[in-house]
Amino acid sequence: MRQNDLTLAPHKTETVILKGPRKRAHVLFEILETRVVPARQLKYLGVILDNRLTFGNHIKYFIEKAQTKLAVLTRPLPNIGGPSESKRAVLCGVIQSVLLYGAPVCHNVINIAKYKKMLLSIQRKALLRISSG
Protein backbone atom coordinates (compact mmCIF):
# COMPACT_ATOMS: atom_id res chain seq x y z
CA MET A 1 0.00 0.00 0.00
CA ARG A 2 1.61 3.27 -1.12
CA GLN A 3 0.49 6.82 -0.59
CA ASN A 4 2.63 9.94 -0.86
CA ASP A 5 5.71 7.74 -1.34
CA LEU A 6 5.06 5.99 1.98
CA THR A 7 4.81 2.22 2.19
CA LEU A 8 2.92 0.26 4.82
CA ALA A 9 4.77 -2.77 6.19
CA PRO A 10 1.99 -5.07 7.49
CA HIS A 11 4.47 -7.68 8.77
CA LYS A 12 5.78 -5.07 11.25
CA THR A 13 2.33 -4.00 12.43
CA GLU A 14 1.45 -4.65 16.07
CA THR A 15 -1.86 -4.15 17.82
CA VAL A 16 -3.23 -4.25 21.32
CA ILE A 17 -6.89 -3.97 22.24
CA LEU A 18 -7.38 -1.83 25.29
CA LYS A 19 -10.04 -3.56 27.35
CA GLY A 20 -12.71 -1.88 29.38
CA PRO A 21 -15.03 -3.42 31.92
CA ARG A 22 -16.90 -5.39 29.22
CA LYS A 23 -15.54 -8.57 27.64
CA ARG A 24 -14.82 -8.38 23.94
CA ALA A 25 -15.00 -11.06 21.30
CA HIS A 26 -11.77 -12.31 19.75
CA VAL A 27 -10.67 -9.79 17.11
CA LEU A 28 -8.32 -10.29 14.17
CA PHE A 29 -7.13 -7.67 11.73
CA GLU A 30 -6.10 -8.24 8.15
CA ILE A 31 -3.89 -5.68 6.40
CA LEU A 32 -2.86 -6.35 2.80
CA GLU A 33 -3.58 -10.06 3.20
CA THR A 34 -1.42 -10.24 6.34
CA ARG A 35 -3.17 -11.32 9.53
CA VAL A 36 -2.39 -9.18 12.58
CA VAL A 37 -3.23 -10.78 15.92
CA PRO A 38 -3.62 -8.40 18.91
CA ALA A 39 -0.99 -8.90 21.61
CA ARG A 40 -1.37 -8.57 25.37
CA GLN A 41 1.20 -5.76 25.45
CA LEU A 42 3.37 -3.71 23.14
CA LYS A 43 5.96 -1.01 23.36
CA TYR A 44 4.92 2.35 21.91
CA LEU A 45 7.26 5.35 22.10
CA GLY A 46 9.14 3.65 24.91
CA VAL A 47 6.06 3.04 27.07
CA ILE A 48 4.86 -0.52 27.53
CA LEU A 49 1.09 -0.62 27.04
CA ASP A 50 -0.85 -3.68 28.14
CA ASN A 51 -4.42 -4.53 27.30
CA ARG A 52 -5.71 -3.53 30.75
CA LEU A 53 -3.60 -0.34 31.08
CA THR A 54 -2.09 -1.44 34.40
CA PHE A 55 1.47 -0.29 33.48
CA GLY A 56 3.06 -2.78 35.91
CA ASN A 57 5.30 -4.22 33.19
CA HIS A 58 6.32 -0.69 32.22
CA ILE A 59 7.51 0.02 35.78
CA LYS A 60 9.38 -3.30 36.00
CA TYR A 61 11.07 -2.71 32.64
CA PHE A 62 12.28 0.77 33.53
CA ILE A 63 13.49 -0.28 36.97
CA GLU A 64 15.61 -3.00 35.35
CA LYS A 65 16.86 -0.45 32.82
CA ALA A 66 17.75 2.00 35.60
CA GLN A 67 19.57 -0.73 37.56
CA THR A 68 21.64 -1.63 34.50
CA LYS A 69 22.54 2.01 33.80
CA LEU A 70 23.40 2.56 37.46
CA ALA A 71 25.74 -0.43 37.51
CA VAL A 72 27.48 0.62 34.29
CA LEU A 73 27.84 4.29 35.23
CA THR A 74 29.03 3.76 38.81
CA ARG A 75 31.62 1.10 37.96
CA PRO A 76 34.42 3.56 37.07
CA LEU A 77 33.83 5.81 40.11
CA PRO A 78 36.45 5.97 42.83
CA ASN A 79 35.85 3.91 45.99
CA ILE A 80 37.51 6.40 48.34
CA GLY A 81 36.27 9.96 48.51
CA GLY A 82 33.36 9.38 46.16
CA PRO A 83 32.63 11.06 42.83
CA SER A 84 32.86 14.80 42.27
CA GLU A 85 29.80 17.02 42.55
CA SER A 86 29.33 17.26 38.78
CA LYS A 87 29.58 13.47 38.30
CA ARG A 88 27.02 12.92 41.05
CA ALA A 89 24.62 15.36 39.40
CA VAL A 90 24.95 13.65 36.02
CA LEU A 91 24.46 10.15 37.48
CA CYS A 92 21.43 11.19 39.48
CA GLY A 93 19.96 12.95 36.44
CA VAL A 94 20.41 9.88 34.23
CA ILE A 95 18.73 7.54 36.71
CA GLN A 96 15.85 9.94 37.39
CA SER A 97 15.24 10.54 33.68
CA VAL A 98 15.05 6.77 33.05
CA LEU A 99 12.61 6.28 35.92
CA LEU A 100 10.43 9.27 35.06
CA TYR A 101 10.00 8.47 31.36
CA GLY A 102 6.31 7.84 30.83
CA ALA A 103 5.42 8.96 34.37
CA PRO A 104 2.56 11.25 33.25
CA VAL A 105 0.89 8.25 31.64
CA CYS A 106 1.33 5.70 34.41
CA HIS A 107 1.29 7.89 37.53
CA ASN A 108 -1.57 5.86 39.11
CA VAL A 109 0.70 2.80 39.40
CA ILE A 110 2.74 4.52 42.11
CA ASN A 111 -0.21 4.17 44.49
CA ILE A 112 0.26 0.38 44.40
CA ALA A 113 2.58 -0.53 47.28
CA LYS A 114 4.56 -3.17 45.34
CA TYR A 115 5.61 -0.74 42.58
CA LYS A 116 6.14 2.15 45.00
CA LYS A 117 8.55 -0.01 46.99
CA MET A 118 10.42 -1.00 43.82
CA LEU A 119 10.81 2.64 42.72
CA LEU A 120 11.95 3.80 46.16
CA SER A 121 14.44 0.93 46.32
CA ILE A 122 16.19 1.83 43.05
CA GLN A 123 16.22 5.54 43.95
CA ARG A 124 17.77 4.75 47.34
CA LYS A 125 20.36 2.49 45.73
CA ALA A 126 21.27 5.23 43.25
CA LEU A 127 21.63 7.83 46.00
CA LEU A 128 23.82 5.52 48.09
CA ARG A 129 26.12 4.73 45.16
CA ILE A 130 26.66 8.32 44.14
CA SER A 131 26.97 9.90 47.58
CA SER A 132 30.46 10.97 48.61
CA GLY A 133 32.29 8.92 51.20
Side-chain angles (χ1 to χ4, degrees):
M1 180 182 222
R2 291 183 68 84
Q3 187 173 5
N4 298 330
D5 294 327
L6 297 176
T7 304
L8 179 66
H11 62 281
K12 293 182 180 180
T13 303
E14 295 179 313
T15 62
V16 66
I17 296 177
L18 303 176
K19 294 181 180 176
R22 292 183 290 153
K23 291 198 175 207
R24 306 239 192 266
H26 190 66
V27 178
L28 292 174
F29 299 99
E30 199 166 299
I31 302 173
L32 297 176
E33 299 176 7
T34 302
R35 185 173 279 183
V36 180
V37 180
R40 289 182 175 250
Q41 69 179 26
L42 62 84
K43 195 174 186 181
Y44 181 69
L45 296 176
V47 177
I48 298 176
L49 298 170
D50 61 17
N51 58 357
R52 298 209 180 263
L53 291 177
T54 58
F55 295 103
N57 290 334
H58 173 76
I59 297 293
K60 290 176 186 175
Y61 171 75
F62 277 95
I63 286 175
E64 288 174 17
K65 190 173 181 179
Q67 286 175 336
T68 304
K69 285 194 183 288
L70 181 65
V72 168
L73 292 173
T74 56
R75 196 169 291 134
L77 296 178
N79 289 332
I80 300 172
S84 67
E85 183 90 22
S86 60
K87 288 179 186 172
R88 282 188 276 157
V90 169
L91 289 171
C92 193
V94 167
I95 300 304
Q96 285 298 97
S97 68
V98 168
L99 292 175
L100 292 176
Y101 187 79
V105 177
C106 61
H107 63 89
N108 291 334
V109 177
I110 296 182
N111 294 330
I112 299 171
K114 172 178 142 180
Y115 299 120
K116 186 175 189 175
K117 184 178 177 183
M118 291 168 69
L119 284 167
L120 290 175
S121 172
I122 186 64
Q123 286 177 327
R124 184 176 189 281
K125 190 182 292 185
L127 290 173
L128 286 173
R129 289 211 180 147
I130 62 174
S131 64
S132 70

